[in-house]
Amino acid sequence: MRAYSGGRYAEAVRLGERAVAIEPRARWVLGGVVRFYLELEDLDAARSFAAEQMESARPALWVPICLFAGQPQRAADIILANPDRWTDSLGEQVEAYAIRDAAIAAGELTRARVELPKLPSELHGLYRTIVLAQVNLALGDRAEAERLAREVLEWKEPSYPGPLQYAQVVAHALLGQHQAALDALERLGVQRLKGWWYAVNREPAFNLLRSDPRFQAFASKARAHAAEQRTLLEQMRERGEAPRRAVNTGMKSAPC
């Protein structure tokens, strides 16, 4: 959706909820609505929305929610238990992040190096490559990590400029090119960064950047933009243009 690519998360929620009401089987829209709510840091709304959808669509919706909730192992478990359900209902990077982060949390990075190549390359080649680079660096294989990072810097994918630009930010960071990484992050901008909450708070490749004033300034802009969009969504809810969602008691069996 253009609203999403322009950082208009509230408008994306409004349009996405309306689209799902018309066609509840459009999985790419279902996944989009969940991601819009997470961009707004509205975890309760994301969980409520996912719980209402048809059972066959729920696994893909819970993966980013579990990742946002700090439960990467639950996200990875869902992926591995449902290998045939990953389509564009998920963001391109979510599966790779979940597999890696679960392995990091368990102290089993070699597991990630085994599982990541199994992700479908047609959808995940870019993110799989950059995440594998980070895993190899954490395992001490700097030569392989740098080879993969340079491969991403040479990647040509004009149809998906946003994801490619973000992956190249990570590549610069992994190569120790911190100023180049910050330059690329600022060029990408807050409004075009999908999954800003992950980049700012979770991305392991940015651990050495988080103390840099430029990164902190970018993070502050991202949080401020999300807050502005939450205010807009609340206004839409008050006007009846978007549903007011909250966690309900029927969600006790939710995976996260």
Side-chain angles (χ1 to χ4, degrees), residues 57-214:
R58 288 179 204 159
L61 303 181
W62 284 112
V63 171
I65 292 172
C66 290
L67 194 63
F68 184 96
Q71 299 183 46
Q73 187 59 61
R74 289 297 301 121
D77 289 345
I78 295 169
I79 291 170
L80 297 175
N82 300 272
D84 299 325
R85 292 188 180 177
W86 313 117
T87 64
D88 56 2
S89 60
L90 278 177
E92 297 91 341
Q93 72 272 48
V94 171
E95 302 97 309
Y97 291 168
I99 296 294
R100 175 190 60 190
D101 292 2
I104 290 174
E108 299 177 356
L109 277 167
T110 54
R111 185 179 72 191
R113 191 153 62 177
V114 171
E115 294 294 343
L116 284 167
K118 297 178 182 178
L119 295 176
S121 60
E122 62 272 16
L123 287 178
H124 308 89
L126 175 62
Y127 282 104
R128 182 182 64 183
T129 300
I130 198 59
V131 170
L132 269 172
Q134 193 275 328
V135 167
N136 276 284
L137 186 62
L139 286 169
D141 191 347
R142 178 171 291 277
E144 179 63 5
E146 292 185 352
R147 184 190 71 80
L148 292 170
R150 291 192 179 96
E151 180 180 319
V152 168
L153 289 178
E154 296 172 358
W155 205 291
K156 306 295 183 184
E157 195 172 1
S159 298
Y160 303 97
L164 177 57
Q165 284 178 287
Y166 178 74
Q168 290 179 337
V169 174
V170 177
H172 282 301
L174 293 177
L175 289 167
Q177 301 168 355
H178 294 169
Q179 293 309 306
L182 291 167
D183 289 344
L185 186 62
E186 290 170 352
R187 284 196 300 272
L188 176 59
V190 167
Q191 295 182 351
R192 290 192 297 140
L193 176 60
K194 295 184 179 181
W196 71 266
W197 53 270
Y198 188 90
V200 165
N201 301 314
R202 309 279 183 82
E203 174 58 67
F206 295 162
N207 287 345
L208 294 179
L209 297 180
R210 290 197 170 87
S211 61
D212 189 292
R214 290 175 65 190

